[in-house]
Amino acid sequence: MEQNDDRPFLSGFSVMPVPGTPDQLRIPEINMQSISSGEVSDAKPTRLNDLIGNRSVIQQVSVALSAARIDGRRFDHSLLVGPPGLGKTCLAEVIAKEMGSDYTEVLGQSVRNPSDLHAILLGASDKTVLFFDEAHELRTEYQTSLY
């Protein structure tokens, strides 16, 4: 995406769609002077509380994270959907950081045969957050095997 001004490119967010709420989550404006003076350590959200926008979606993810922590288990399988550039990848990274888990991102087009998929799945630890970006590009039988 092309940038027309001096601000750093920061994408918006969209999480699991909530019927009747077209709102997108977004990253707040960041004052570049604050960054250079050390007031802001990172322009990318690292915690769920750093996200602003669609509160109902953030609340849903927050409840799921809390339940996973309380029960001592991993974050449940989730499907993040929406148009490109809305922050699904960033949300997956935030979920991994909130859970204290490893994060692995896989581009759907890179899985060309069953051994690729098996290597990815077997290489992940029990609590690793696996994010399949462009999952619709996976062959149907690979998508089905992930359920």
Side-chain angles (χ1 to χ4, degrees), residues 26-48:
R26 64 191 183 287
I27 299 173
E29 288 289 322
I30 302 222
N31 179 337
M32 291 308 292
Q33 291 176 346
S34 296
I35 292 174
S36 62
S37 68
E39 293 175 31
V40 176
S41 62
D42 195 349
K44 194 173 187 180
T46 56
R47 298 173 312 171
L48 200 57

Side-chain angles (χ1 to χ4, degrees), residues 98 100 139:
E98 288 276 351
R139 291 177 48 186

Side-chain angles (χ1 to χ4, degrees), residues 85-100:
L86 294 178
K88 298 175 293 290
T89 303
C90 190
L91 178 65
E93 291 173 0
V94 167
I95 290 169
K97 287 178 184 171
E98 288 276 351
M99 291 299 297

Side-chain angles (χ1 to χ4, degrees), residues 95-134:
I95 290 169
K97 287 178 184 171
E98 288 276 351
M99 291 299 297
S101 300
D102 293 329
Y103 172 80
T104 302
E105 182 177 344
V106 180
L107 189 60
Q109 297 93 320
S110 68
V111 180
R112 295 194 175 123
N113 54 55
S115 63
D116 290 342
L117 183 59
H118 290 195
I120 292 164
L121 296 175
L122 292 173
S125 68
D126 188 40
K127 292 189 177 185
T128 297
V129 172
L130 284 175
F131 180 74
F132 284 87
D133 197 8
E134 304 290 335

